[in-house]
Amino acid sequence: MLQKGCMYCDEVCAHRDSLMIKICDFNLGTLYLFRDQKNLGRCILAAKEHYTDITEMTPEVLHEFWDEVVTVANAVHRAFNPDKINYASYADTVKHLHIHIVPKYIGGPNWNGPFSDADPKFLSDEEYAKIIETFKKELGK
Ligand SMILES: [Zn+2]
């Protein structure tokens, strides 16, 4: 089910577009590239349905959704070779289940600490397009 007024459920959402760019769909999730790329390859996998928490998913759906997270993480490892990936699910205010997939690099932003939205690094449209193509290639999309 979708919820009107939710930034992940609404088909068109200027706020969502200001934060991220859609990369591709999976069966249960939609993958977005986070516009702040100070952590190269940072992306979000958002559930297509309006779940507010993983506890609302059946075990089968939860398993399949996490398989999609793992598929994305493996693509990030192949494409960008991070030293670690951080995963986070907050949804304090945006109450729609989404997983932040944040590559971390030794000596890079927030290494050995929580990732942050401070000091964002925005790219050109061409640079975003290049990263999105890399994701699609690695994901076979
Ligand atoms: Zn929603």
Side-chain angles (χ1 to χ4, degrees):
M1 221 162 68
L2 301 177
Q3 184 170 301
K4 201 169 187 304
C6 167
M7 69 177 268
Y8 287 108
C9 288
D10 289 348
E11 197 173 329
V12 178
C13 178
H15 178 60
R16 184 184 65 225
D17 291 347
S18 75
L19 295 172
M20 59 195 78
I21 306 165
K22 183 176 173 179
I23 298 174
C24 64
D25 283 308
F26 290 89
N27 188 34
L28 295 178
T30 301
L31 183 63
Y32 296 95
L33 183 71
F34 209 61
R35 285 189 183 272
D36 174 7
Q37 282 292 298
K38 71 176 169 291
N39 293 85
L40 178 63
R42 180 175 174 178
C43 55
I44 288 175
L45 188 70
K48 286 184 178 176
E49 298 286 318
H50 188 86
Y51 296 99
T52 60
D53 191 85
I54 56 174
T55 56
E56 294 178 349
M57 290 178 156
T58 65
E60 294 76 19
V61 168
L62 181 62
H63 191 143
E64 185 175 347
F65 184 69
W66 277 101
D67 276 350
E68 294 177 358
V69 173
V70 171
T71 296
V72 172
N74 281 324
V76 168
H77 277 297
R78 288 193 303 270
F80 306 109
N81 197 30
D83 295 294
K84 181 69 179 79
I85 296 176
N86 288 179
Y87 307 89
S89 178
Y90 301 108
D92 293 11
T93 52
V94 180
K95 296 188 181 306
H96 180 125
L97 179 63
H98 60 284
I99 310 296
H100 292 268
I101 299 168
V102 185
K104 303 281 283 293
Y105 303 86
I106 292 173
N110 309 120
W111 177 254
N112 204 30
F115 64 87
S116 159
D117 290 340
D119 303 316
K121 180 183 178 185
F122 298 112
L123 307 178
S124 68
D125 288 346
E126 291 74 21
E127 289 170 314
Y128 287 127
K130 195 174 166 195
I131 294 171
I132 287 169
E133 281 312 303
T134 300
F135 266 100
K136 287 182 173 176
K137 183 171 160 251
E138 290 295 341
L139 293 166
K141 297 281 185 184

Short mmCIF file of all heavy atoms in Angstrom, two decimals, residues 40-84:
data_model
loop_
_atom_site.label_atom_id
_atom_site.label_comp_id
_atom_site.label_asym_id
_atom_site.label_seq_id
_atom_site.Cartn_x
_atom_site.Cartn_y
_atom_site.Cartn_z
N LEU A 40 31.52 8.25 -1.73
CA LEU A 40 31.26 7.82 -3.11
C LEU A 40 30.47 6.52 -3.15
O LEU A 40 30.89 5.53 -2.55
CB LEU A 40 32.59 7.65 -3.85
CG LEU A 40 32.47 7.17 -5.30
CD1 LEU A 40 31.72 8.17 -6.16
CD2 LEU A 40 33.85 6.86 -5.89
N GLY A 41 29.34 6.56 -3.84
CA GLY A 41 28.50 5.38 -3.97
C GLY A 41 27.36 5.34 -2.97
O GLY A 41 26.59 4.38 -2.94
N ARG A 42 27.23 6.39 -2.14
CA ARG A 42 26.15 6.39 -1.14
C ARG A 42 24.79 6.32 -1.84
O ARG A 42 24.52 7.08 -2.77
CB ARG A 42 26.22 7.64 -0.25
CG ARG A 42 25.11 7.65 0.80
CD ARG A 42 25.23 8.81 1.76
NE ARG A 42 24.07 8.83 2.66
CZ ARG A 42 23.90 9.70 3.65
NH1 ARG A 42 24.81 10.64 3.87
NH2 ARG A 42 22.82 9.67 4.40
N CYS A 43 23.96 5.43 -1.36
CA CYS A 43 22.65 5.26 -1.97
C CYS A 43 21.63 4.84 -0.91
O CYS A 43 21.99 4.62 0.26
CB CYS A 43 22.71 4.24 -3.11
SG CYS A 43 23.40 2.65 -2.65
N ILE A 44 20.39 4.77 -1.34
CA ILE A 44 19.29 4.40 -0.45
C ILE A 44 18.45 3.35 -1.16
O ILE A 44 18.09 3.53 -2.33
CB ILE A 44 18.41 5.63 -0.13
CG1 ILE A 44 19.14 6.58 0.82
CG2 ILE A 44 17.06 5.20 0.46
CD1 ILE A 44 18.39 7.88 1.08
N LEU A 45 18.15 2.26 -0.46
CA LEU A 45 17.16 1.33 -0.97
C LEU A 45 15.89 1.53 -0.15
O LEU A 45 15.88 1.28 1.06
CB LEU A 45 17.63 -0.12 -0.87
CG LEU A 45 16.71 -1.12 -1.58
CD1 LEU A 45 16.78 -0.96 -3.10
CD2 LEU A 45 17.02 -2.56 -1.19
N ALA A 46 14.84 2.01 -0.82
CA ALA A 46 13.57 2.27 -0.15
C ALA A 46 12.58 1.18 -0.54
O ALA A 46 12.50 0.79 -1.71
CB ALA A 46 13.02 3.64 -0.55
N ALA A 47 11.84 0.70 0.43
CA ALA A 47 10.78 -0.26 0.13
C ALA A 47 9.77 0.40 -0.80
O ALA A 47 9.49 1.59 -0.69
CB ALA A 47 10.10 -0.71 1.42
N LYS A 48 9.23 -0.38 -1.75
CA LYS A 48 8.21 0.19 -2.63
C LYS A 48 6.90 0.39 -1.89
O LYS A 48 6.18 1.35 -2.13
CB LYS A 48 8.00 -0.75 -3.82
CG LYS A 48 9.12 -0.72 -4.83
CD LYS A 48 8.77 -1.59 -6.01
CE LYS A 48 9.85 -1.54 -7.05
NZ LYS A 48 9.57 -2.45 -8.17
N GLU A 49 6.58 -0.54 -1.00
CA GLU A 49 5.37 -0.42 -0.21
C GLU A 49 5.65 0.46 1.00
O GLU A 49 6.79 0.59 1.44
CB GLU A 49 4.91 -1.80 0.27
CG GLU A 49 4.55 -2.76 -0.84
CD GLU A 49 3.23 -2.41 -1.50
OE1 GLU A 49 2.27 -2.07 -0.78
OE2 GLU A 49 3.16 -2.46 -2.74
N HIS A 50 4.58 1.02 1.57
CA HIS A 50 4.76 1.92 2.71
C HIS A 50 4.82 1.13 4.01
O HIS A 50 3.86 1.09 4.79
CB HIS A 50 3.64 2.97 2.75
CG HIS A 50 3.88 4.03 3.79
ND1 HIS A 50 4.62 5.15 3.54
CD2 HIS A 50 3.50 4.10 5.09
CE1 HIS A 50 4.69 5.89 4.65
NE2 HIS A 50 4.00 5.27 5.60
N TYR A 51 5.95 0.49 4.26
CA TYR A 51 6.22 -0.08 5.57
C TYR A 51 6.86 1.02 6.41
O TYR A 51 7.71 1.77 5.90
CB TYR A 51 7.20 -1.24 5.47
CG TYR A 51 6.72 -2.42 4.68
CD1 TYR A 51 7.12 -2.60 3.35
CD2 TYR A 51 5.89 -3.38 5.26
CE1 TYR A 51 6.69 -3.70 2.63
CE2 TYR A 51 5.46 -4.49 4.54
CZ TYR A 51 5.87 -4.64 3.22
OH TYR A 51 5.46 -5.72 2.50
N THR A 52 6.50 1.10 7.68
CA THR A 52 7.17 2.10 8.53
C THR A 52 8.35 1.48 9.27
O THR A 52 9.19 2.21 9.79
CB THR A 52 6.20 2.71 9.57
OG1 THR A 52 5.68 1.67 10.40
CG2 THR A 52 5.06 3.43 8.87
N ASP A 53 8.41 0.15 9.28
CA ASP A 53 9.46 -0.51 10.06
C ASP A 53 9.61 -1.94 9.56
O ASP A 53 8.65 -2.53 9.04
CB ASP A 53 9.06 -0.51 11.55
CG ASP A 53 10.21 -0.93 12.45
OD1 ASP A 53 11.04 -0.08 12.80
OD2 ASP A 53 10.29 -2.14 12.78
N ILE A 54 10.80 -2.51 9.75
CA ILE A 54 11.02 -3.89 9.32
C ILE A 54 10.10 -4.87 10.06
O ILE A 54 9.83 -5.95 9.55
CB ILE A 54 12.50 -4.33 9.49
CG1 ILE A 54 12.97 -4.14 10.93
CG2 ILE A 54 13.40 -3.61 8.51
CD1 ILE A 54 14.37 -4.69 11.19
N THR A 55 9.62 -4.48 11.23
CA THR A 55 8.76 -5.38 12.00
C THR A 55 7.40 -5.57 11.34
O THR A 55 6.66 -6.48 11.71
CB THR A 55 8.55 -4.85 13.43
OG1 THR A 55 8.00 -3.53 13.35
CG2 THR A 55 9.85 -4.83 14.20
N GLU A 56 7.08 -4.73 10.35
CA GLU A 56 5.80 -4.88 9.65
C GLU A 56 5.89 -5.87 8.49
O GLU A 56 4.87 -6.24 7.91
CB GLU A 56 5.34 -3.52 9.11
CG GLU A 56 4.99 -2.54 10.20
CD GLU A 56 4.58 -1.19 9.64
OE1 GLU A 56 4.76 -0.95 8.43
OE2 GLU A 56 4.09 -0.37 10.43
N MET A 57 7.11 -6.26 8.13
CA MET A 57 7.28 -7.17 7.00
C MET A 57 7.13 -8.61 7.46
O MET A 57 7.55 -8.96 8.57
CB MET A 57 8.68 -6.98 6.39
CG MET A 57 8.86 -5.66 5.67
SD MET A 57 10.56 -5.50 5.04
CE MET A 57 10.30 -4.32 3.71
N THR A 58 6.58 -9.44 6.60
CA THR A 58 6.59 -10.87 6.89
C THR A 58 8.04 -11.35 6.79
O THR A 58 8.87 -10.70 6.13
CB THR A 58 5.74 -11.65 5.86
OG1 THR A 58 6.36 -11.52 4.58
CG2 THR A 58 4.31 -11.14 5.81
N PRO A 59 8.36 -12.47 7.40
CA PRO A 59 9.74 -12.99 7.30
C PRO A 59 10.18 -13.16 5.84
O PRO A 59 11.34 -12.88 5.51
CB PRO A 59 9.67 -14.33 8.02
CG PRO A 59 8.56 -14.18 9.00
CD PRO A 59 7.54 -13.29 8.31
N GLU A 60 9.28 -13.60 4.97
CA GLU A 60 9.63 -13.82 3.57
C GLU A 60 9.96 -12.50 2.88
O GLU A 60 10.93 -12.39 2.13
CB GLU A 60 8.48 -14.53 2.82
CG GLU A 60 8.20 -15.94 3.30
CD GLU A 60 7.46 -16.03 4.63
OE1 GLU A 60 6.82 -15.02 5.04
OE2 GLU A 60 7.53 -17.09 5.27
N VAL A 61 9.13 -11.49 3.12
CA VAL A 61 9.36 -10.18 2.51
C VAL A 61 10.64 -9.55 3.06
O VAL A 61 11.46 -9.01 2.32
CB VAL A 61 8.14 -9.24 2.74
CG1 VAL A 61 8.49 -7.80 2.37
CG2 VAL A 61 6.95 -9.73 1.92
N LEU A 62 10.83 -9.68 4.37
CA LEU A 62 12.04 -9.12 4.99
C LEU A 62 13.29 -9.77 4.40
O LEU A 62 14.25 -9.08 4.06
CB LEU A 62 11.98 -9.37 6.51
CG LEU A 62 13.16 -8.82 7.32
CD1 LEU A 62 13.25 -7.31 7.19
CD2 LEU A 62 13.01 -9.22 8.78
N HIS A 63 13.24 -11.07 4.22
CA HIS A 63 14.39 -11.79 3.67
C HIS A 63 14.68 -11.32 2.24
O HIS A 63 15.82 -11.03 1.88
CB HIS A 63 14.11 -13.29 3.69
CG HIS A 63 15.31 -14.12 3.38
ND1 HIS A 63 15.58 -15.31 3.99
CD2 HIS A 63 16.33 -13.93 2.51
CE1 HIS A 63 16.71 -15.81 3.53
NE2 HIS A 63 17.18 -14.99 2.62
N GLU A 64 13.63 -11.22 1.44
CA GLU A 64 13.83 -10.79 0.05
C GLU A 64 14.33 -9.35 -0.01
O GLU A 64 15.21 -9.02 -0.81
CB GLU A 64 12.54 -10.94 -0.76
CG GLU A 64 12.77 -10.62 -2.24
CD GLU A 64 11.54 -10.87 -3.10
OE1 GLU A 64 10.57 -11.50 -2.64
OE2 GLU A 64 11.55 -10.40 -4.26
N PHE A 65 13.79 -8.48 0.85
CA PHE A 65 14.24 -7.08 0.86
C PHE A 65 15.72 -7.00 1.24
O PHE A 65 16.50 -6.28 0.62
CB PHE A 65 13.38 -6.26 1.83
CG PHE A 65 13.71 -4.78 1.83
CD1 PHE A 65 13.43 -3.98 0.74
CD2 PHE A 65 14.31 -4.20 2.95
CE1 PHE A 65 13.75 -2.63 0.74
CE2 PHE A 65 14.63 -2.85 2.96
CZ PHE A 65 14.34 -2.06 1.85
N TRP A 66 16.12 -7.77 2.24
CA TRP A 66 17.54 -7.74 2.65
C TRP A 66 18.43 -8.36 1.59
O TRP A 66 19.59 -7.97 1.45
CB TRP A 66 17.74 -8.37 4.02
CG TRP A 66 17.43 -7.36 5.09
CD1 TRP A 66 16.28 -7.26 5.80
CD2 TRP A 66 18.26 -6.25 5.50
NE1 TRP A 66 16.35 -6.16 6.64
CE2 TRP A 66 17.55 -5.54 6.47
CE3 TRP A 66 19.52 -5.82 5.13
CZ2 TRP A 66 18.06 -4.40 7.09
CZ3 TRP A 66 20.05 -4.68 5.74
CH2 TRP A 66 19.32 -3.99 6.71
N ASP A 67 17.90 -9.33 0.85
CA ASP A 67 18.67 -9.85 -0.29
C ASP A 67 18.96 -8.73 -1.29
O ASP A 67 20.04 -8.69 -1.89
CB ASP A 67 17.89 -10.97 -1.00
CG ASP A 67 18.10 -12.33 -0.34
OD1 ASP A 67 18.98 -12.45 0.54
OD2 ASP A 67 17.37 -13.27 -0.70
N GLU A 68 17.99 -7.85 -1.47
CA GLU A 68 18.19 -6.71 -2.38
C GLU A 68 19.25 -5.75 -1.81
O GLU A 68 20.08 -5.23 -2.56
CB GLU A 68 16.86 -6.00 -2.66
CG GLU A 68 15.89 -6.89 -3.44
CD GLU A 68 14.52 -6.26 -3.67
OE1 GLU A 68 14.27 -5.12 -3.21
OE2 GLU A 68 13.69 -6.91 -4.33
N VAL A 69 19.22 -5.53 -0.49
CA VAL A 69 20.25 -4.69 0.13
C VAL A 69 21.63 -5.30 -0.12
O VAL A 69 22.59 -4.60 -0.49
CB VAL A 69 20.00 -4.54 1.65
CG1 VAL A 69 21.18 -3.81 2.33
CG2 VAL A 69 18.70 -3.78 1.92
N VAL A 70 21.74 -6.60 0.04
CA VAL A 70 23.02 -7.29 -0.17
C VAL A 70 23.45 -7.18 -1.64
O VAL A 70 24.63 -6.97 -1.93
CB VAL A 70 22.92 -8.76 0.29
CG1 VAL A 70 24.16 -9.55 -0.13
CG2 VAL A 70 22.74 -8.83 1.80
N THR A 71 22.51 -7.32 -2.55
CA THR A 71 22.82 -7.18 -3.98
C THR A 71 23.41 -5.80 -4.27
O THR A 71 24.41 -5.67 -4.98
CB THR A 71 21.54 -7.41 -4.82
OG1 THR A 71 21.11 -8.75 -4.63
CG2 THR A 71 21.81 -7.17 -6.30
N VAL A 72 22.80 -4.77 -3.68
CA VAL A 72 23.30 -3.40 -3.86
C VAL A 72 24.69 -3.27 -3.24
O VAL A 72 25.61 -2.71 -3.85
CB VAL A 72 22.33 -2.37 -3.26
CG1 VAL A 72 22.94 -0.97 -3.28
CG2 VAL A 72 20.99 -2.38 -4.01
N ALA A 73 24.85 -3.81 -2.03
CA ALA A 73 26.14 -3.69 -1.34
C ALA A 73 27.24 -4.37 -2.15
O ALA A 73 28.35 -3.82 -2.27
CB ALA A 73 26.03 -4.31 0.05
N ASN A 74 26.95 -5.53 -2.70
CA ASN A 74 27.96 -6.20 -3.53
C ASN A 74 28.31 -5.37 -4.76
O ASN A 74 29.48 -5.31 -5.16
CB ASN A 74 27.46 -7.60 -3.94
CG ASN A 74 27.62 -8.60 -2.81
OD1 ASN A 74 28.59 -8.55 -2.04
ND2 ASN A 74 26.68 -9.52 -2.70
N ALA A 75 27.33 -4.73 -5.34
CA ALA A 75 27.59 -3.85 -6.50
C ALA A 75 28.47 -2.67 -6.08
O ALA A 75 29.39 -2.28 -6.82
CB ALA A 75 26.27 -3.36 -7.10
N VAL A 76 28.19 -2.11 -4.90
CA VAL A 76 28.99 -0.99 -4.40
C VAL A 76 30.43 -1.44 -4.17
O VAL A 76 31.38 -0.74 -4.54
CB VAL A 76 28.38 -0.41 -3.10
CG1 VAL A 76 29.35 0.55 -2.41
CG2 VAL A 76 27.05 0.29 -3.41
N HIS A 77 30.60 -2.62 -3.59
CA HIS A 77 31.96 -3.14 -3.37
C HIS A 77 32.70 -3.30 -4.70
O HIS A 77 33.86 -2.90 -4.82
CB HIS A 77 31.91 -4.47 -2.63
CG HIS A 77 31.80 -4.32 -1.14
ND1 HIS A 77 32.76 -3.71 -0.37
CD2 HIS A 77 30.82 -4.70 -0.28
CE1 HIS A 77 32.39 -3.73 0.90
NE2 HIS A 77 31.22 -4.32 0.98
N ARG A 78 32.03 -3.87 -5.69
CA ARG A 78 32.69 -4.07 -7.00
C ARG A 78 33.00 -2.75 -7.68
O ARG A 78 34.07 -2.57 -8.27
CB ARG A 78 31.79 -4.92 -7.91
CG ARG A 78 31.70 -6.39 -7.53
CD ARG A 78 31.06 -7.19 -8.66
NE ARG A 78 29.73 -6.70 -9.03
CZ ARG A 78 28.58 -7.11 -8.48
NH1 ARG A 78 28.58 -8.00 -7.52
NH2 ARG A 78 27.42 -6.60 -8.89
N ALA A 79 32.06 -1.82 -7.61
CA ALA A 79 32.20 -0.58 -8.38
C ALA A 79 33.14 0.44 -7.73
O ALA A 79 33.87 1.14 -8.43
CB ALA A 79 30.81 0.05 -8.58
N PHE A 80 33.09 0.52 -6.39
CA PHE A 80 33.78 1.64 -5.72
C PHE A 80 34.85 1.19 -4.72
O PHE A 80 35.58 2.04 -4.21
CB PHE A 80 32.74 2.54 -5.04
CG PHE A 80 31.67 3.02 -5.98
CD1 PHE A 80 30.37 2.55 -5.88
CD2 PHE A 80 31.96 3.92 -6.99
CE1 PHE A 80 29.36 2.97 -6.75
CE2 PHE A 80 30.97 4.35 -7.87
CZ PHE A 80 29.68 3.87 -7.75
N ASN A 81 34.88 -0.10 -4.44
CA ASN A 81 35.92 -0.66 -3.57
C ASN A 81 36.06 0.07 -2.22
O ASN A 81 37.17 0.44 -1.82
CB ASN A 81 37.26 -0.66 -4.31
CG ASN A 81 38.27 -1.59 -3.66
OD1 ASN A 81 37.90 -2.58 -3.05
ND2 ASN A 81 39.54 -1.23 -3.74
N PRO A 82 34.96 0.28 -1.50
CA PRO A 82 35.08 0.93 -0.18
C PRO A 82 35.74 -0.02 0.82
O PRO A 82 35.79 -1.23 0.59
CB PRO A 82 33.62 1.19 0.21
CG PRO A 82 32.85 0.11 -0.49
CD PRO A 82 33.58 -0.13 -1.79
N ASP A 83 36.22 0.53 1.93
CA ASP A 83 36.80 -0.29 2.97
C ASP A 83 35.74 -0.89 3.89
O ASP A 83 35.98 -1.89 4.55
CB ASP A 83 37.81 0.55 3.78
CG ASP A 83 38.98 0.96 2.89
OD1 ASP A 83 39.73 0.09 2.47
OD2 ASP A 83 39.10 2.17 2.59
N LYS A 84 34.57 -0.26 3.92
CA LYS A 84 33.45 -0.76 4.72
C LYS A 84 32.19 -0.09 4.22
O LYS A 84 32.25 1.01 3.69
CB LYS A 84 33.66 -0.41 6.20
CG LYS A 84 32.57 -0.90 7.14
CD LYS A 84 32.56 -2.41 7.28
CE LYS A 84 31.49 -2.91 8.23
NZ LYS A 84 30.16 -2.92 7.61
#
